[in-house]
Amino acid sequence: MKNILSMSQFSNQEVYDLIDRAIAFKEGEQSTVGTNKYAINLFFENSTRTKSSFQVAEMNLGMREIMFDAGTSSTTKGESLYDTVRTVESIGASVAVIRHSQDEFYNELLNRNINIPIINAGDGAGQHPSQSLLDLMTISEHFGQFEGLKVGIIGDLSHSRVAHSNAEILTRLGAEVSFGGLDSWYTPEFAEIGPHMSVDDLCREMDVVMLLRVQHERLSADENKNFSKEKYFKEYGLDMRRVDMMKEDAMIMHPAPVNRGVEIADDVVECDKSFIFRQMQNGVFMRMAMIEAVLSGEKTSNELINKKRQIILR
C-alpha cells in the first residue's frame, strides 16, 4: 500500500484488515515501524481532530514531526504542492499527510518523482479516507458487521468529503444507505445510492444516523445569506425528541466539528446513543494503522528495489 488517497482504492478485505489492526492498537499492541522516521502534516485547511489525531498516531509509532504552517510556508510565495512535497522528502520526511482545498490534489503528485507515501487527510469536497475508516471501525465495534445495517447520512451532502467516502464504502460493505437534508444537496451521485427521506423517518428506521455540519465555507454568498440556523435545526436537526424515536441500539455519529444548535442539539452531543467522542478516540488508532500500512508498503518496495540492484550487480 504505497499511498492512501480514497476509499475506492481499498478492497473489502483491506478495509477489514485496517479495522482489525486499529483495534489491536487500541487494545495495546505496539509497533516500531516509525522509529527514527519523520512525518510531516501538510494542512492547507484548518483542522483540530484530524491533524491532532495524526500527530498523536505518529508519536505512538515512534515518529517525529517536521513542523509545517501553511501560512508561513513557501506556498505563500507561489511554490507548488509538488515542490513542497519534494522539499520535505529531500530533508528527511518518510510520509506526508496532506489536507488541501483542491479536489483530488494528489493527482499533481502521482506518477512524478515523489518517493514517500502520501496520505490524503481530506481533499476539497472529494474524499476523507481516514475519517471514513475510523467511522467504519466505530460501527464495527458496536454492531460487529455492516451487512444489512441501515445508515442515514443527514446534512450538507454535496460539499461533504465524509459523505462521499462513507456512502461509497458502506454500500460496498453491504449496508443500506439513505439520506436527509436539503433537497438541493441530494445530488444524482447520492440518488444512485439510496433514497432521500425525512429526518423523522430516518430516525425511526436507521441503525446509524450520521450528521454533517453545514459547510458555509463552500456555500455561495447567496446561500449563506439566506441560511437560517433556526429553520434548519427545526427541519433537519437532531434533538432529543428525535433521539427518542431511534432504535434502542442505534448510533449517532458526527465527523465534527459539531455546530450545536444547527445540525444537533447541545444535549444530544453526549447522550447515551452518541458515539461522537468515541469516533475521535478511534481516530488515533485507525490513523496508526494507516501510517503503519504505508510505511510497511514502502519498506517492501525498497526491499524489492535493493534485491533488483543486487541481481544487476551480480
Side-chain angles (χ1 to χ4, degrees):
M1 194 177 295
K2 169 66 175 175
N3 304 305
I4 294 180
L5 306 175
S6 73
M7 293 307 295
S8 61
Q9 78 180 74
F10 293 112
S11 68
N12 289 3
Q13 188 57 54
E14 286 172 329
V15 170
Y16 291 125
D17 288 345
L18 283 167
I19 291 172
D20 288 345
R21 190 61 178 148
I23 291 173
F25 281 134
K26 187 174 182 178
E27 292 174 347
E29 191 157 330
Q30 304 293 312
S31 173
T32 59
V33 71
T35 303
N36 297 323
K37 290 184 173 66
Y38 290 92
I40 189 159
N41 301 297
L42 301 171
F43 276 63
F44 297 92
E45 288 187 321
N46 293 337
S47 173
T48 299
R49 275 147 299 279
T50 304
K51 185 175 182 179
S52 298
S53 185
F54 268 113
Q55 288 171 325
V56 174
E58 290 153 6
M59 288 187 285
N60 286 349
L61 292 171
M63 305 188 78
R64 287 173 284 183
E65 181 186 11
I66 301 172
M67 301 306 294
F68 176 82
D69 179 357
T72 59
S73 74
S74 291
T75 59
T76 62
K77 302 176 183 179
E79 182 175 78
S80 68
L81 177 61
Y82 172 76
D83 285 335
T84 297
V85 177
R86 284 286 285 127
T87 297
V88 299
E89 177 189 347
S90 298
I91 64 176
S94 295
V95 61
V97 179
I98 306 175
R99 169 172 288 188
H100 203 284
S101 60
Q102 178 183 330
D103 286 10
E104 299 182 346
F105 67 80
Y106 43 81
N107 287 336
E108 178 185 339
L109 309 176
L110 300 179
N111 302 317
R112 297 183 71 178
N113 195 26
I114 301 292
N115 297 303
I116 59 172
I118 304 298
I119 296 178
N120 177 10
D123 64 292
Q127 288 274 322
H128 197 344
S130 68
Q131 181 67 49
S132 184
L133 286 164
L134 73 89
D135 288 347
L136 294 176
M137 174 187 177
T138 307
I139 294 170
S140 179
E141 283 184 319
H142 186 61
F143 286 112
Q145 63 180 26
F146 302 100
E147 188 74 33
L149 286 180
K150 294 185 176 182
V151 180
I153 305 177
I154 304 169
D156 189 354
L157 302 168
S158 60
H159 299 105
S160 173
R161 48 199 172 209
V162 177
H164 294 139
S165 294
N166 279 347
E168 172 192 337
I169 191 62
L170 281 165
T171 300
R172 182 145 56 88
L173 292 173
E176 300 174 23
V177 182
S178 303
F179 303 96
L182 293 175
D183 290 343
S184 59
W185 293 336
Y186 180 61
T187 59
E189 171 192 357
F190 297 107
E192 291 179 3
I193 294 173
H196 189 272
M197 301 169 61
S198 72
V199 175
D200 282 356
D201 286 343
L202 287 167
C203 287
R204 292 187 187 97
E205 297 181 25
M206 298 298 112
D207 300 297
V208 181
V209 173
M210 290 185 173
L211 302 168
L212 306 169
R213 71 180 179 90
V214 179
Q215 298 195 30
H216 291 284
E217 70 273 21
R218 303 190 199 281
L219 300 184
S220 68
D222 284 343
E223 286 174 315
N224 278 317
K225 182 180 178 180
N226 295 323
F227 183 82
S228 165
K229 293 180 180 179
E230 294 76 18
K231 183 178 179 182
Y232 183 87
F233 180 72
K234 182 177 180 180
E235 190 162 356
Y236 305 111
L238 186 63
D239 56 14
M240 287 305 298
R241 178 185 69 84
R242 285 173 166 153
V243 171
D244 290 340
M245 299 176 182
M246 296 172 69
K247 299 177 182 179
E248 186 175 348
D249 62 348
M251 303 173 69
I252 297 167
M253 303 180 73
H254 195 309
V258 170
N259 287 320
R260 296 174 186 242
V262 182
E263 72 273 6
I264 186 169
D266 186 75
D267 55 352
V268 174
V269 174
E270 296 182 73
C271 73
D272 291 344
K273 287 184 171 62
S274 174
F275 286 73
I276 296 172
F277 288 95
R278 175 79 63 84
Q279 290 172 264
M280 298 178 198
Q281 178 191 27
N282 285 345
V284 172
F285 305 111
M286 178 51 74
R287 288 169 176 129
M288 288 175 68
M290 295 168 69
I291 295 167
E292 182 188 56
V294 296
L295 289 180
S296 297
E298 180 70 5
K299 180 180 178 182
T300 301
S301 297
N302 289 336
E303 288 173 348
L304 289 172
I305 290 169
N306 288 335
K307 286 180 180 178
K308 288 179 181 178
R309 285 175 180 164
Q310 290 169 8
I311 291 170
I312 291 170
L313 288 172
R314 287 173 189 163

